[in-house]
Amino acid sequence: MFAVYAAEQQYRHDTWSRDRDHAILASINERKAAVASRNPARAVARPQRVVWARPIGLHVVAENDPAVCAVA
């Protein structure tokens, strides 16, 4: 009889935990939707791909940036 009682308690606990997790996820999704509706989506330009190999850690910057110097 103790095993049945323990199994029922575990089932109730699991059900409660699952319902709580679903409620939290629903709340997060509602907040994301509310924020998304307030802020219109902005188009983010993807960086242009370069055809030349570059060392690891080197970042591509704008070609018309005055701080960029040519390296031969």
Side-chain angles (χ1 to χ4, degrees):
M1 193 61 160
F2 177 74
V4 173
Y5 177 75
E8 288 176 349
Q9 290 300 319
Q10 185 65 42
Y11 175 78
R12 288 187 186 119
H13 175 73
D14 290 347
T15 303
W16 177 82
S17 297
R18 192 176 317 110
D19 291 343
R20 183 172 178 268
D21 290 345
H22 284 294
I24 290 171
L25 288 174
S27 169
I28 290 170
N29 290 335
E30 288 173 4
R31 287 183 187 176
K32 282 182 183 178
V35 168
S37 67
R38 278 186 265 149
N39 298 334
R42 295 185 183 115
V44 177
R46 293 179 61 186
Q48 238 179 352
R49 295 191 67 124
V50 294
V51 294
W52 50 273
R54 62 182 184 268
I56 296 174
L58 181 66
H59 299 287
V60 177
V61 293
E63 292 177 6
N64 54 2
D65 188 359
V68 176
C69 60
V71 177

